Amino acid sequence: MTIAIDGPVGAGKSTIAQGVADALGILHLDTGAMYRAMGLKALRAGIDPKDPAAAEALCAETNIAVEMGPAGQKTLLDGEDVSNLIRTPEVGAAASAVSTVKAVRRRMVALQQACAAKADMVVDGRDIGTVVLPNATCKFFLTASPEVRARRRFLEMQQKGAACSYEEI
């Protein structure tokens, strides 16, 4: 069984996905973490994540994996657990940029499909119901008003200690 939860940034996809997975006793795959790991790798390598050729070359030499278990998802970058390191605003921005590179998207989609083929799970992220899991058992598109999305993101950033205002978000 696969459950796809799609929608824009800040709509609450991951929160809902984790709740559904917990209620059903199945796994939850946060696909955004994979892109964040790629963004972290770009930052560490000193490349411009908006440069398609550089991002594609970096992706080809990068090993991104997830370990799923009762404690949740661990995101591994070249064997290193980067689960906590990928949740900064800088990594988020790099992830957004690198996710626009077609070669990176193809690789991440293949990894996501491989994960979903191994076990029953809830998968959340962008294009999950249309591109990643077009034959998902159930598909949901979650959205929220721009104000709610901005408030959610602002509170998340405050919890991480980021200096930003609601207006900027």
Side-chain angles (χ1 to χ4, degrees), residues 9 36 87-93 149-166 168-169:
V9 170
R36 286 175 168 274
R87 300 297 172 181
T88 67
E90 297 80 18
V91 171
R149 292 171 50 214
R151 186 175 304 105
R152 287 178 53 84
R153 184 64 64 199
F154 173 67
L155 293 173
E156 179 184 332
M157 300 302 271
Q158 275 191 321
Q159 288 176 340
K160 294 176 184 170
C164 62
S165 69
Y166 172 78
E168 289 173 313
I169 300 294

Side-chain angles (χ1 to χ4, degrees), residues 6 24 35 45 58 60 67 87 89 99 106 127-128 135 158 161:
D6 205 331
L24 295 175
Y35 290 101
L58 189 66
E67 289 181 359
R87 300 297 172 181
S99 72
R106 273 194 308 274
D127 302 325
I128 299 304
N135 298 316
Q158 275 191 321

Side-chain angles (χ1 to χ4, degrees), residues 24-36:
L24 295 175
I26 61 176
L27 300 173
H28 165 222
L29 177 63
D30 171 11
T31 62
M34 297 169 138
Y35 290 101
R36 286 175 168 274

Side-chain angles (χ1 to χ4, degrees), residues 17-137:
Q18 189 60 58
V20 170
D22 289 345
L24 295 175
I26 61 176
L27 300 173
H28 165 222
L29 177 63
D30 171 11
T31 62
M34 297 169 138
Y35 290 101
R36 286 175 168 274
M38 194 63 223
L40 177 61
K41 176 84 177 230
L43 292 174
R44 285 179 170 178
I47 71 153
D48 179 358
K50 294 177 187 173
D51 179 346
E56 182 175 354
L58 189 66
C59 186
E61 64 182 42
T62 301
N63 182 19
I64 294 174
V66 294
E67 289 181 359
M68 309 292 284
Q73 175 176 315
K74 273 191 200 177
T75 304
L76 306 174
L77 173 61
D78 298 326
E80 173 191 359
D81 181 356
V82 295
S83 302
N84 294 324
L85 300 175
I86 60 174
R87 300 297 172 181
T88 67
E90 297 80 18
V91 171
S96 291
V98 79
S99 72
T100 65
V101 177
K102 289 183 182 182
V104 172
R105 289 196 70 76
R106 273 194 308 274
R107 177 121 185 269
M108 296 302 124
V109 166
L111 288 171
Q112 294 157 12
Q113 290 170 332
C115 286
K118 292 178 186 174
D120 293 339
M121 66 177 60
V122 180
V123 182
D124 79 271
R126 307 259 184 89
D127 302 325
I128 299 304
T130 55
V131 176
V132 179
L133 298 174
N135 298 316
T137 309

